[in-house]
Amino acid sequence: MLIALLIVFSLGFCSLVLYLYDSRDELRRTTMFIQAREITAGFTADSDPASLPTHFAGGELSYTLYSPKGEYVWKSDNLEQPRRLRLLTLQDEYRLFRKPLRSGFVINVPVLLHDGSVLMVAKRDDFERETIGALLTTRMFRGMVIQLLFCLVAVTLIVGLLHWMMRPIRQAARLTDKFGPAHPDYRIPLHKLPREILPLAQAANSGMDRMSHAYTLEKRFFEDAAHELRTPLTVLDLRLQKARLGGETDWLAVTRDMSQIRRLLGQLLTLSRHEYEMPPGAEHIESVNVSRAAREAAAVIIPLFETAQRELSVEIEDHVFVHGNANLLHETLISVMENALLHGAGTVTLRVFTKPEVGSIIEIVDEGHGVDLTTQSDMFMRFRKNVQSTTGSGLGLAIARRHMLNMGATIAFTSQSPCIVRMVFCSSGSDQPIRA
């Protein structure tokens, strides 16, 4: 703003200089019009040119006469060639807008005689030019001083105004200093701020809400991770101490404990990447063939069912497409089916079908006792298990829920016995029609 103000004042000063310079020639011509009227008072085209004075007010005069038709008639003896015919009048100098007219050392103005002839009266007005120039120069410097004072006052007012306008922002900045890990719930008090700064303060509070939520999730995440890792690490430490004291190592148990720790850490990293680094909807969305993804997931996990001597049944409708991410969907299906294998009972059934009023649906059903209706929603939280003594980390369903949220879908228990986990994709899309 200060630079813009300086540019404006510079342009104003240049305009003042040009205006005063043009005013000097206007005053010279106006003065010459007045003098020419006095000099030629009573003169006609038939009068003797010798009756006209050769000097006036300290300057030499010269004359050129033109007929009413603009034809040259005669000139005074002190001219080598006639002066140019100009048809300007004194009223032309009073016009509000006109083209600037520069005059040299000699002023040449017309005088209209009674018969229509034009007598051009010229004068070298050194005295008038110097006097008017000195007067205007004095006024110019006086105007510069006044303009400079005005500029200083304006700069002071603008700086003060900017300081006053930034006061609410500085106030809001001071209020945000209290926000941090020690006060995660602190927000900028909106009632203390003027309405002009409210949108900025509200946006800052919204950002604080998101940061506070992320901080709370991160804190809970690390607390839960530390709690869950404590037991397998303690067990592994006891096994190693026993091996060191007894001389015999149960490598099968150590390998099993290390596998459990690696699996837990892998799930933690997966959940962290999808929960903290990727907000809902941030995944790459594409058209996914759910029918094929379900069959591929079933083929991957069937060896685990065979080892556990459990049966996996599939009821998959063909050509079911959704908007989502194929990799996430594949991981989710395997995670939920593995959860049914570990914590469920009997035959596990994988169903894929569509309902026009709902969308594309995936259901994984087992014949176990399931999860109590009051705690079903808690099972999708980190490290929550229906039976704490069972194997597993309690992260499988939490990862599945995050994957579904990132694809804009939902996952939930819909029945206790049989236990049914349902995934619903509300918006379906494909290059082929979806079968109902």
Side-chain angles (χ1 to χ4, degrees):
M1 291 183 65
L2 294 177
I3 293 175
L5 182 64
L6 179 62
I7 293 174
V8 169
F9 277 114
S10 300
L11 293 175
F13 172 72
C14 294
S15 300
L16 176 63
V17 172
L18 294 175
Y19 170 76
L20 293 178
Y21 182 76
D22 189 57
S23 298
R24 185 191 66 171
D25 286 350
E26 289 181 356
L27 292 173
R28 290 173 61 198
R29 288 193 296 272
T30 301
T31 302
M32 190 60 197
F33 269 115
I34 297 174
Q35 293 179 357
R37 285 185 179 181
E38 182 178 353
I39 293 170
T40 60
F43 187 82
T44 64
D46 298 330
S47 301
D48 184 7
S51 62
L52 295 172
T54 57
H55 290 79
F56 186 84
E60 183 182 10
L61 298 172
S62 60
Y63 307 96
T64 303
L65 181 65
Y66 289 90
S67 67
K69 296 182 180 181
E71 299 173 348
Y72 167 72
V73 179
W74 57 265
K75 64 180 180 63
S76 58
D77 297 335
N78 57 353
L79 289 177
E80 295 182 358
Q81 57 183 4
R83 294 287 183 185
R84 183 188 304 176
L85 175 63
R86 297 182 182 275
L87 299 179
L88 296 176
T89 63
L90 186 58
Q91 283 70 28
D92 293 330
E93 302 292 339
Y94 302 153
R95 286 187 299 178
L96 183 60
F97 299 103
R98 65 173 184 79
K99 182 179 179 181
L101 179 61
R102 297 289 175 257
S103 300
F105 293 98
V106 177
I107 298 295
N108 185 33
V109 298
V111 176
L112 184 62
L113 304 182
H114 294 293
D115 61 349
S117 299
V118 179
L119 179 63
M120 299 300 301
V121 182
K123 176 185 176 183
R124 185 180 179 89
D125 59 339
D126 296 334
F127 176 74
E128 290 87 345
R129 181 164 52 85
E130 293 176 0
T131 302
I132 295 174
L135 177 62
L136 293 180
T137 301
T138 303
R139 294 188 63 85
M140 181 183 67
F141 283 108
R142 188 183 302 167
M144 288 177 58
V145 172
I146 296 174
Q147 190 176 29
L148 180 61
L149 293 176
F150 176 75
C151 181
L152 293 176
V153 172
V155 169
T156 303
L157 290 176
I158 290 178
V159 171
L161 180 62
L162 290 176
H163 182 78
W164 178 80
M165 291 173 61
M166 297 297 291
R167 181 171 53 88
I169 298 181
R170 291 194 299 272
Q171 181 182 359
R174 287 194 299 268
L175 292 174
T176 57
D177 288 340
K178 298 181 181 179
F179 177 76
H183 302 89
D185 296 328
Y186 176 79
R187 299 295 181 270
I188 300 175
L190 301 180
H191 65 277
K192 295 183 178 181
L193 298 176
R195 61 182 182 181
E196 292 81 6
I197 206 67
L198 281 181
L200 177 61
Q202 291 170 348
N205 281 346
S206 298
M208 291 179 183
D209 289 338
R210 293 188 292 271
M211 292 177 62
S212 177
H213 178 66
Y215 173 74
T216 302
L217 289 177
E218 182 180 1
K219 182 179 179 181
R220 188 169 70 241
F221 179 82
F222 281 109
E223 290 175 351
D224 293 343
H227 175 75
E228 293 298 322
L229 285 171
R230 184 187 308 163
T231 299
L233 288 175
T234 301
V235 172
L236 180 61
D237 181 63
L238 292 175
R239 293 188 190 280
L240 293 177
Q241 289 185 25
K242 182 179 178 180
R244 182 170 59 85
L245 295 175
E248 294 183 1
T249 305
D250 187 353
W251 290 111
L252 181 62
V254 171
T255 302
R256 185 172 59 250
D257 292 340
M258 288 299 299
S259 176
Q260 182 181 358
I261 292 174
R262 283 196 300 269
R263 184 172 183 273
L264 177 59
L265 290 176
Q267 288 180 322
L268 286 173
L269 291 174
T270 299
L271 185 60
S272 175
R273 184 177 72 253
H274 289 285
E275 187 167 25
Y276 299 111
E277 298 178 6
M278 298 182 183
E283 296 284 0
H284 175 66
I285 301 300
E286 57 189 0
S287 182
V288 179
N289 189 331
V290 182
S291 304
R292 182 173 63 185
R295 292 189 178 96
E296 291 175 352
V300 169
I301 203 171
I302 193 64
L304 297 180
F305 279 83
E306 293 175 348
T307 301
Q309 296 182 353
R310 296 271 299 278
E311 182 180 352
L312 174 64
S313 174
V314 294
E315 300 174 5
I316 301 176
E317 185 177 315
D318 292 331
H319 307 301
V320 177
F321 288 81
V322 299
H323 290 303
N325 184 287
N327 294 329
L328 291 187
L329 181 59
H330 182 82
E331 293 178 13
T332 302
L333 291 174
I334 291 179
S335 178
V336 178
M337 285 190 291
E338 186 178 5
N339 186 78
L341 174 64
L342 295 176
H343 306 292
T347 301
V348 176
T349 303
L350 172 62
R351 299 172 181 166
V352 176
F353 58 96
T354 60
K355 285 186 177 181
E357 66 276 8
V358 178
S360 299
I361 300 174
I362 302 175
E363 286 185 347
I364 297 176
V365 186
D366 69 79
E367 299 173 348
H369 296 292
V371 181
D372 188 79
L373 296 176
T374 59
T375 61
Q376 285 182 349
S377 60
D378 295 338
M379 293 300 101
F380 293 96
M381 300 178 66
R382 294 188 301 269
F383 305 112
R384 298 298 193 275
K385 294 190 291 184
N386 190 30
V387 180
Q388 295 299 324
S389 60
T390 57
T391 60
S393 60
L395 290 174
L397 291 181
I399 294 175
R401 177 178 177 271
R402 174 49 53 184
H403 286 175
M404 289 295 101
L405 289 176
N406 285 349
M407 289 189 290
T410 61
I411 181 171
F413 287 96
T414 60
S415 174
Q416 180 177 355
S417 183
C419 182
I420 301 177
V421 177
R422 173 177 289 184
M423 290 167 272
V424 179
F425 295 82
C426 297
S427 58
S428 300
S430 71
D431 297 334
Q432 307 176 28
I434 297 176
R435 293 177 54 190

